mmCIF file of all heavy atoms in Angstrom:
data_model
loop_
_atom_site.group_PDB
_atom_site.id
_atom_site.type_symbol
_atom_site.label_atom_id
_atom_site.label_comp_id
_atom_site.label_asym_id
_atom_site.label_seq_id
_atom_site.Cartn_x
_atom_site.Cartn_y
_atom_site.Cartn_z
ATOM 1 N N PRO A 219 -2.695 22.298 -15.819
ATOM 2 C CA PRO A 219 -3.997 23.009 -15.634
ATOM 3 C C PRO A 219 -5.030 21.947 -15.426
ATOM 4 O O PRO A 219 -4.970 20.875 -16.078
ATOM 5 C CB PRO A 219 -4.185 23.718 -16.981
ATOM 6 C CG PRO A 219 -2.873 23.615 -17.713
ATOM 7 C CD PRO A 219 -2.074 22.496 -17.132
ATOM 8 N N VAL A 220 -5.973 22.216 -14.514
ATOM 9 C CA VAL A 220 -6.984 21.198 -14.170
ATOM 10 C C VAL A 220 -7.783 20.790 -15.446
ATOM 11 O O VAL A 220 -8.091 19.581 -15.612
ATOM 12 C CB VAL A 220 -7.997 21.729 -13.093
ATOM 13 C CG1 VAL A 220 -9.072 20.768 -12.785
ATOM 14 C CG2 VAL A 220 -7.216 22.048 -11.836
ATOM 15 N N GLU A 221 -8.024 21.731 -16.369
ATOM 16 C CA GLU A 221 -8.787 21.416 -17.594
ATOM 17 C C GLU A 221 -8.091 20.363 -18.418
ATOM 18 O O GLU A 221 -8.738 19.675 -19.204
ATOM 19 C CB GLU A 221 -8.964 22.663 -18.512
ATOM 20 C CG GLU A 221 -9.334 23.952 -17.814
ATOM 21 C CD GLU A 221 -8.105 24.613 -17.127
ATOM 22 O OE1 GLU A 221 -7.243 25.160 -17.843
ATOM 23 O OE2 GLU A 221 -8.036 24.600 -15.897
ATOM 24 N N LYS A 222 -6.778 20.238 -18.289
ATOM 25 C CA LYS A 222 -6.045 19.327 -19.145
ATOM 26 C C LYS A 222 -6.051 17.920 -18.623
ATOM 27 O O LYS A 222 -5.667 16.949 -19.351
ATOM 28 C CB LYS A 222 -4.598 19.845 -19.246
ATOM 29 C CG LYS A 222 -3.842 19.460 -20.511
ATOM 30 C CD LYS A 222 -2.400 19.951 -20.473
ATOM 31 C CE LYS A 222 -1.513 18.957 -21.199
ATOM 32 N NZ LYS A 222 -0.080 19.150 -20.886
ATOM 33 N N LEU A 223 -6.420 17.715 -17.355
ATOM 34 C CA LEU A 223 -6.310 16.385 -16.714
ATOM 35 C C LEU A 223 -7.103 15.316 -17.455
ATOM 36 O O LEU A 223 -6.703 14.148 -17.449
ATOM 37 C CB LEU A 223 -6.820 16.467 -15.233
ATOM 38 C CG LEU A 223 -5.923 17.233 -14.304
ATOM 39 C CD1 LEU A 223 -6.565 17.275 -12.894
ATOM 40 C CD2 LEU A 223 -4.541 16.577 -14.211
ATOM 41 N N ALA A 224 -8.226 15.730 -18.029
ATOM 42 C CA ALA A 224 -9.080 14.716 -18.697
ATOM 43 C C ALA A 224 -8.352 14.041 -19.848
ATOM 44 O O ALA A 224 -8.624 12.945 -20.265
ATOM 45 C CB ALA A 224 -10.344 15.401 -19.243
ATOM 46 N N THR A 225 -7.332 14.707 -20.373
ATOM 47 C CA THR A 225 -6.611 14.172 -21.533
ATOM 48 C C THR A 225 -5.328 13.395 -21.182
ATOM 49 O O THR A 225 -4.609 12.938 -22.050
ATOM 50 C CB THR A 225 -6.170 15.311 -22.470
ATOM 51 O OG1 THR A 225 -5.143 16.098 -21.840
ATOM 52 C CG2 THR A 225 -7.321 16.205 -22.853
ATOM 53 N N ALA A 226 -5.070 13.244 -19.877
ATOM 54 C CA ALA A 226 -3.832 12.626 -19.460
ATOM 55 C C ALA A 226 -3.734 11.180 -19.928
ATOM 56 O O ALA A 226 -4.684 10.418 -19.841
ATOM 57 C CB ALA A 226 -3.761 12.658 -17.897
ATOM 58 N N THR A 227 -2.590 10.834 -20.436
ATOM 59 C CA THR A 227 -2.378 9.479 -20.994
ATOM 60 C C THR A 227 -1.804 8.562 -19.938
ATOM 61 O O THR A 227 -1.266 9.001 -18.923
ATOM 62 C CB THR A 227 -1.419 9.512 -22.225
ATOM 63 O OG1 THR A 227 -0.155 9.898 -21.670
ATOM 64 C CG2 THR A 227 -1.919 10.441 -23.291
ATOM 65 N N LEU A 228 -1.803 7.254 -20.271
ATOM 66 C CA LEU A 228 -1.227 6.276 -19.349
ATOM 67 C C LEU A 228 0.275 6.536 -19.181
ATOM 68 O O LEU A 228 0.735 6.462 -18.014
ATOM 69 C CB LEU A 228 -1.440 4.874 -19.987
ATOM 70 C CG LEU A 228 -0.856 3.709 -19.229
ATOM 71 C CD1 LEU A 228 -1.449 3.596 -17.819
ATOM 72 C CD2 LEU A 228 -1.126 2.403 -19.947
ATOM 73 N N ALA A 229 0.981 6.873 -20.207
ATOM 74 C CA ALA A 229 2.419 7.105 -20.065
ATOM 75 C C ALA A 229 2.655 8.287 -19.168
ATOM 76 O O ALA A 229 3.572 8.275 -18.325
ATOM 77 C CB ALA A 229 3.060 7.269 -21.463
ATOM 78 N N GLU A 230 1.868 9.355 -19.316
ATOM 79 C CA GLU A 230 2.051 10.542 -18.512
ATOM 80 C C GLU A 230 1.746 10.285 -17.045
ATOM 81 O O GLU A 230 2.440 10.761 -16.111
ATOM 82 C CB GLU A 230 1.169 11.642 -19.021
ATOM 83 C CG GLU A 230 1.716 12.211 -20.379
ATOM 84 C CD GLU A 230 0.609 13.046 -21.116
ATOM 85 O OE1 GLU A 230 -0.578 12.856 -20.899
ATOM 86 O OE2 GLU A 230 1.029 13.903 -21.917
#
Side-chain angles (χ1 to χ4, degrees):
V220 177
E221 317 77 73
K222 207 182 145 198
L223 289 178
T225 67
T227 65
L228 177 60
E230 287 165 336

